[in-house]
Amino acid sequence: CTVPTHRVVERLQRHTDTAVRNLLEEPFLDEMMARDSERRLLSTRGALKEVSEAYAAASEVRRILAHLSEKLSTSESDKGAAAEPNKGVLLLDICSGKGLVGLLLSRLLPEAHVVMLDVNGDMD
């Protein structure tokens, strides 16, 4: 990626969107900036929209998993599953495009398995 890390971070810092602010505080951001492919994804024109979508999706997934965990913890036969409610979770990102939403979901929900699908095989 030809875009320097500091330029990508400066661009992100100019935005007041809550999701972008959250991304700037993530412990994994430095690792993302160190990888050319991930830094390139964050430097694209549609990146800010995709960051917001990823955080909204992660929030909803966490809400659903918390609800399922609560339901499982009330069942005597599933106490082991309730102890690790996120283990084995599969997230399917259909029409994943360049993959920023799927990438961020895998960073935000590391215990989940994220599968990305897109009909366009030429996507990065």
Side-chain angles (χ1 to χ4, degrees), residues 86 88-92 106 109-115:
N86 302 339
V89 170
L90 173 67
L91 300 176
L92 184 57
S106 72
L109 302 164
E111 66 281 356
H113 182 76
V114 179
V115 175

Side-chain angles (χ1 to χ4, degrees), residues 75-116:
S75 170
E76 288 298 319
S77 63
D78 292 325
K79 287 201 186 255
E84 296 184 86
N86 302 339
K87 187 175 182 179
V89 170
L90 173 67
L91 300 176
L92 184 57
D93 181 8
I94 300 174
C95 297
S96 58
K98 294 185 183 291
L100 183 55
V101 171
L103 173 67
L104 286 173
L105 284 172
S106 72
R107 297 281 189 163
L108 293 166
L109 302 164
E111 66 281 356
H113 182 76
V114 179
V115 175
M116 301 184 310

Side-chain angles (χ1 to χ4, degrees), residues 52-68 86 89 91 105 108-109:
S52 292
E53 290 172 356
Y55 275 86
S59 176
E60 186 63 11
V61 167
R62 286 180 178 135
R63 185 191 68 75
I64 291 168
L65 291 174
H67 177 75
L68 290 174
N86 302 339
V89 170
L91 300 176
L105 284 172
L108 293 166
L109 302 164

Side-chain angles (χ1 to χ4, degrees), residues 23-38:
L23 174 62
L24 288 167
E25 295 176 10
E26 293 291 354
F28 57 74
L29 183 62
D30 289 339
E31 186 179 333
M32 288 183 74
M33 290 293 116
R35 294 181 179 193
D36 288 346
S37 60
E38 295 182 28

